[in-house]
Amino acid sequence: MAKQHSFKAATCAAMVSASMTLMLHAAGAWADDVPPPSSSGSQQTDATAQPASKWKIGVGPGVVITPLYPGSRELRFFPYPALDIAYDDRVFSQGPDVLGLNVLRSEDYHVGAALSFDFQSRQEKDDPHLHGLGNVDGGPKLKLFADYTVWMFTGSVALYQDIAGHGQGKTVVTDLYASLPVGGWLFSIGPGFTWADAEYTRTFFGVSSQQSAASGLPAYNTGAGIRDVHLNGYVSYDISKHWATSVAVTLGRLQHYAAASPITERRSELNTLASVNYRF
């Protein structure tokens, strides 16, 4: 997943934002067709009718566009295996959520946990501006999430905890969006924000005295607070019974410690996940 693009520009989360993940999870699902009720003249059809499958399986190619590192003015592009797999709306693998479980769920809400992969990272070789700051690796995170839908509006919250020991701490992503289906199209849009703990902001935006001496950047202390505010957009289209395509975009603006860091070169962020899926 590492094909870098050369032009300049600025999610978690950043990552294919955690907000995009929840949006894809809540808005991108479809229901299997239920067989029609039997009639007195169709005994043979009834005998051979199959119950609706509890499986939902979609696979295909995708691409991720995200900042080269948090606060960067450059973007990088990743080819991405876009999976949308679920069983009985209980166990799922979708987007960066490698394996998830809806502990509580209904048509209106989901509460659960997932093992999620976060692509946020920073390498000194990415930019001369980073020399002396050290590397920050991406890796798996534990995700706890909840979402609730009333009519066309969905509110969601997700907590991400670094479990790989890469200093990425905790982030919490909160989103509110409205969804509107039109024919084979689905449109969603809404605002959100990301909160980050002191460990996360220190890792990505802080500059210790040792890093200052090595990099030439001024020392900079950080703490917990709002990392960014953002706007989410999502569009999907059912091309046919088996084929569908979708694009999820998050436009963000870094805040507080992240915005004022000497590491940050651009406050605006763009995160995009586009995919084409074949549904079995």
Side-chain angles (χ1 to χ4, degrees), residues 266-278:
R266 175 167 290 180
R267 290 185 60 185
S268 59
E269 288 189 326
L270 169 67
N271 287 279
T272 302
L273 171 61
S275 65
V276 176
N277 279 80
Y278 181 82

Side-chain angles (χ1 to χ4, degrees), residues 94-253:
Q94 294 171 317
D97 295 338
V98 179
L99 181 62
L101 175 67
N102 288 315
V103 179
L104 303 173
R105 88 271 196 248
S106 76
E107 291 184 356
D108 299 324
Y109 64 84
H110 300 85
V111 179
L115 178 66
S116 186
F117 193 89
D118 187 352
F119 301 105
Q120 284 189 103
S121 63
R122 189 182 69 204
Q123 305 294 317
E124 287 193 0
K125 63 180 177 61
D126 289 343
D127 193 316
H129 177 67
L130 303 176
H131 178 72
L133 297 178
N135 297 333
V136 181
D137 295 323
K141 291 187 175 181
L142 173 64
K143 173 184 175 184
L144 304 177
F145 63 86
D147 63 70
Y148 192 84
T149 299
V150 178
W151 188 42
M152 63 184 296
F153 300 101
T154 298
S156 64
V157 60
L159 180 149
Y160 292 83
Q161 170 65 57
D162 176 19
I163 58 175
H166 294 160
Q168 297 203 25
K170 297 181 184 69
T171 55
V172 178
V173 182
T174 302
D175 292 299
L176 175 66
Y177 52 92
S179 299
L180 179 66
V182 180
W185 294 87
L186 176 65
F187 301 91
S188 296
I189 190 169
F193 68 91
T194 305
W195 174 90
D197 69 0
E199 182 181 10
Y200 174 94
T201 59
R202 181 171 60 249
T203 295
F204 279 113
F205 300 104
V207 181
S208 67
S209 57
Q210 292 85 355
Q211 289 174 319
S212 177
S215 66
L217 296 175
Y220 182 71
N221 295 320
T222 65
I226 301 300
R227 178 201 183 276
D228 66 74
V229 295
H230 53 258
L231 179 67
N232 299 312
Y234 176 81
V235 179
S236 69
Y237 178 65
D238 291 339
I239 301 171
S240 67
K241 178 180 178 181
H242 293 290
W243 287 98
T245 184
S246 65
V247 178
V249 178
T250 297
L251 300 174
R253 183 76 171 171

